[in-house]
Every structure is written in structure tokens, then in C-alpha cells.
Amino acid sequence: MSRIISLDAIGRTASARTRPRAGTACTSAGGGCPSGGGDAIPPAVLDRIREHPCYSEDAHHFFARMHIAVAPACNIQCNYCNRKYDCANESRPGVTSTVLSEEAAEAKVRGVAARLPQLSVVGIAGPGDALADAARSFRAFERIAAAVPGLKLCLATNGLALPENVARIKALGIDHVTITINAVDPEIGSRIHPWVAFGGRRLTGVEGAAVLIRQQLEGLERLVAADVLVKVNSVMIPGINDGHLPAVNAAIKARGAFLHNIMPLISDPAHGTRFGLDGQRGPTPQELKAMQDSLAGGARLMRHCRQCRADAVGMLGDDADCGPQTDAVAAEDATIRPDAEQRARYREVVAQELADRDAASAAVAGALERIAAPVSMLVAVCTKGGGRINRHFGHASEFQLFEVDRAGVRLVGHRRAGRYCQGGFGEEDVLDQVIAALDGVDAVLCAKIGSCPKDRLAEAGIAASDDYAFQYIEPAVAAFFRDAVGANDRAATA
């Protein structure tokens, strides 16, 4: 793996710089623009999220995160979790191949930071709960902060042990905390969390759920009072808490949460979870989007989550191959130190890319507003990062989804699918799966696409284009929409 991401890797081309396409975008000079919520983000907060790929939509195009799996213990049971199952090819919370010691975690972070100058965040997200053995997690954070200054520190927790640890979190400079809150009603919570371990007792049913909710909301309030940015994750479980999520959104907004991330339940029976074995289904992409759309005006929404592994490394949706996180590998990295100058140069490139992207969007500001028809499109984009359309259709294993209308362009989620191109040849059965995954999508924009998949997509009512290859995503989506709507208007009046 290369030691530094190049300009080509984030898609800069002479043609893209000299031929910007028009449109508007939900962007803010590198800070990102989380969906939903009507309150403007203060400049000081924008600066804090500028390089955090989970808290900023812009940052997730350019910056990488690393999860260190140092927290194996957990103090609650969730019906959607089974930490014993691990497949190296899946992305799912609670999954890791190896649990690291604090020493190995520090060495591994140094090694990854030396190889990935885009690394900006190191977090603890399991495979259990980061605060179930808080002392172990905090020792790891102390070592990492001393070894690689400048990295943002982040942790994820179920919140049961959160209130008593807020002061320590603040003292260590952990500026971003994620709390998983699936319910604020104990009756509903008891159907998701069968027991919690608290105060030396195992509490079950409504009693346990009530304690968990109390601790979560108190912890959220204390973090906000301590000026720590909080993201709340909620797992959407049809028939159990889907109708209750607006109440969760309102409760966390009232307490100052920065973001609300509503994630789909993963319930494959092969994972051995209670929900999976009971046949509890997850939401469809359409149901998830409808829920998110219904919460417009509530707490700000995160729509670019990938539900990452506890040992994930790299860009969201495009993890880097940095080798296994093991004590033995970490020992080999013991003498590696990140190159501060290299990291600074990368950030200069990102700053210029964001400025160029914003200029491309502003070049024909108002173009979408002049569209008379009250129509919208859902556009899937093939990208490998850098905020550009820079991936071949056949090489895409996921598609980022953007909704566009005369109000602008908004990131609304992503769809995963198998790679159509395998060893230079297209697999028809995989293409069928890709088309199924793109249900409801109006168009696909990619760097390149062959005539066969393009024709098959057209048969499914999905337009496909590589005319916007290597251009910035939001302006290109806006331009495609503008041209398509204009063509329809001309055809209707002809």
C-alpha cells in the first residue's frame, strides 16, 4: 500500500479543474453539512468536525478513521449483537478478528498513521463496550495521544457506564462520543435489550431497560455540558422501535446531541443473533430513507454511516488493507513514526480540493432554483473518495445516493452490492443483484460503464452515464438533473 495518497487517488484531473459543471451542493468549506436539523453549525464546531469522517459529510470523502479493538467486555445484551461471529469480508459493529493489548494498539496506530496520511480519527468501538472496562480503554487512549499527537480521539458506548466517566473523557481530550440509544421508552427498550449489568446485579426486562435509558440520557446531558460532541446511533427495527424513533430524535435533540444516526438492523441468521434467529427483518432502504426524511427539522441526521467493524481502518466504505491488527504485527511497527510534513501536505491538497469543489458549485449558483418543475431524482454515484465520480461501474461494491431537486443536492445514504466486474468479465447474476440493490434509483453516474450493463440498467428504468467522470459529485449530480429536466421540458413543449 502506498505511503501517501496522491492527487490522482482523490481524482484531480486537468479536465475536471478547467471544466467545472454547475450545480449547488450541501457543503460548507470543508466542514460538511449533516442532513436534517435547521440550526446552523457554529464555525468553531465546524472546525472540530472538519476532519472527522463520521461527523462531517465532506470529511468522509477525504479522511480515514481507525478503530482499535481493545474493549472485549460488554455490560448489556442486545438482541442484534453476537460478538462471537467474525467474517473478514463483512462490515458489522461488534466484529473483529483480534483483540489488541493497549501496547499493540499504540504501535498499530503509529504504523497506520505512517502509511495513511489521511488518518484523522482513532476510536474505540468494541468489540464490546468501550466503557465496560473504562480503565483499559483510557490507557489505550493515553498511549495513542502521546504517540501520535493531533489525532482526534473518539469512543462509542451503549451509555450504561457513561455518567461516571464523562470527566475522564473530557480530561483525555476525547472530543467525540457516540451513544447507542434505541429507545426512550423502557417497554420498547426491553424488547431490544434483554438484560443489563449494573450495580453488581443483572437487571432484566423493563427494569433493566429503564436503568439503561436513564444512564444514557444523563450521560448525554453531561457530555453536552462538558462541550463534547455527541452522535447518537439508533438501530431501526421494524415492528419494535421504528414508530418510536421520532420520540428518540426529539429526546436527544432536546438534550443537545449533535447528530442522530439511524442505522438499519442487520439480522442475518448466520450471525447467530437473537433477532436473526427469530426472523426479525431489517428495514428496506426505502423504509430507512422514509424514516430519515420524516425527521427533517429534528436533530441533525448522519446518512453516510457504514456500520463499521470494531477493527475498521481506512475511508468509510473503502477500508484500507493495512494487515491484521495483531500484537505480532504491531511489534514490527514499534519503530515507525508518522511523517508530520507528509500529513500536512495531504491536508493542503484536501483544502484546495474543497475550495475547487465549492467554486464549481458556485459557478452557476441558482441553476437548480430556476427549474420550474417540482420534481426530484435519486442518483447513485460510483466513487472511491475525494468527493469525485472516480470509480468504474463494474468495480463498485457500493453506491452513494444523492437526492436532487430544485432545492439542491443532498447525500441521503448508500447501497451495497456485489462487484459486477470480476477479473475483467461481467457476471450476469451479480448484475441482477446490483440492479435489485438500485431499486428506486433514477440514474447512476460513474467514471466508466460498458454498453451491456448500461443497456440492462436502462431496461430497469435506470439511466447510466460516464459523461461526468472525475468531476465533483454534487455539481455533477446537479448538472445531470438540470440537463435531464430541461430535456423533458423541451420534449413536453415540442
Side-chain angles (χ1 to χ4, degrees), residues 37-371:
D39 299 332
I41 302 175
V45 177
L46 283 173
D47 190 60
R48 291 164 66 182
I49 68 172
R50 195 178 304 277
E51 294 187 9
H52 199 306
C54 298
Y55 283 67
S56 164
E57 289 178 7
D58 278 353
H60 102 277
H61 290 302
F62 297 99
F63 291 100
R65 85 296 188 224
M66 177 179 185
H67 290 170
I68 52 170
V70 298
C74 198
N75 46 14
I76 74 172
Q77 179 60 52
C78 305
N79 283 332
Y80 51 73
C81 182
N82 179 6
R83 299 189 306 279
K84 295 179 180 179
Y85 181 88
D86 174 32
C87 173
N89 295 318
E90 73 163 334
S91 180
R92 180 171 61 87
V95 172
T96 186
S97 296
T98 306
V99 174
L100 293 177
S101 66
E102 301 115 71
E103 296 80 7
E106 176 213 322
K108 190 64 181 177
V109 170
R110 279 194 274 102
V112 171
R115 294 174 174 86
L116 296 179
Q118 62 267 48
L119 180 68
S120 61
V121 175
V122 172
I124 298 177
D129 186 77
L131 298 179
D133 184 352
R136 177 186 175 100
S137 295
F138 291 152
R139 287 194 300 269
F141 278 130
E142 287 175 335
R143 297 183 69 103
I144 291 164
V148 190
L151 287 177
K152 292 185 179 299
L153 303 180
C154 187
L155 71 80
T157 176
N158 58 48
L160 184 64
L162 182 56
E164 63 264 34
N165 284 297
V166 169
R168 184 67 173 140
I169 288 169
K170 181 67 175 179
L172 283 170
I174 300 170
D175 195 40
H176 300 71
V177 172
T178 294
I179 313 170
T180 298
I181 302 178
N182 295 313
V184 291
D185 179 336
E187 291 284 352
I188 295 173
S190 67
R191 299 175 64 187
I192 303 170
H193 309 290
W195 60 259
V196 306
F198 186 79
R201 298 172 56 208
R202 176 173 289 196
L203 308 178
T204 61
V206 172
E207 181 186 16
V211 169
L212 175 62
I213 292 166
R214 183 196 71 206
Q215 292 291 100
Q216 290 171 332
L217 297 181
E218 181 182 344
L220 168 56
E221 292 175 349
R222 291 191 183 190
L223 286 171
V224 172
D227 194 30
V228 175
L229 294 178
V230 180
K231 174 168 67 72
V232 170
N233 285 351
S234 297
V235 180
M236 181 176 173
I237 310 165
I240 294 182
N241 75 340
D242 49 345
H244 178 60
L245 288 176
V248 176
N249 185 269
I252 66 171
K253 181 181 181 181
R255 290 165 174 80
F258 178 72
L259 278 179
H260 192 191
N261 174 31
I262 298 177
M263 310 181 298
L265 171 70
I266 299 173
S267 58
D268 187 334
H271 299 162
T273 67
R274 183 72 269 158
F275 279 150
L277 295 175
D278 288 348
Q280 171 63 53
R281 73 174 181 89
T284 66
Q286 293 80 5
E287 289 172 332
L288 179 64
K289 183 178 182 300
M291 173 58 66
Q292 293 169 331
D293 290 347
S294 73
L295 296 176
R300 296 183 188 91
L301 298 177
M302 175 187 180
R303 299 206 191 210
H304 57 282
C305 176
R306 301 305 198 275
Q307 295 178 274
C308 303
R309 293 167 56 97
D311 57 1
V313 180
M315 311 287 281
L316 294 187
D318 193 16
D319 284 333
D321 181 10
C322 291
Q325 293 190 45
T326 66
D327 282 20
V329 172
E332 298 176 3
D333 291 339
T335 61
I336 296 177
R337 292 290 185 275
D339 185 333
E341 182 178 346
Q342 189 180 71
R343 291 173 62 80
R345 285 200 305 271
Y346 177 75
R347 281 148 181 80
E348 291 174 0
V349 170
V350 171
Q352 185 60 57
E353 281 290 287
L354 288 169
D356 289 351
R357 188 276 315 273
D358 289 349
S361 293
V364 287
L368 292 183
E369 295 176 1
R370 291 193 292 272
I371 293 175

Side-chain angles (χ1 to χ4, degrees), residues 392 394-395 419-427 450 453:
H392 193 297
H395 298 163
R419 285 184 55 168
Y420 164 63
C421 186
Q422 303 287 334
F425 298 94
E427 298 287 342

Side-chain angles (χ1 to χ4, degrees), residues 467-486:
D467 292 342
Y468 303 86
F470 301 103
Q471 295 181 22
Y472 297 108
I473 293 172
E474 291 91 343
V477 170
F480 176 85
F481 176 70
R482 178 200 60 196
D483 295 344
V485 171

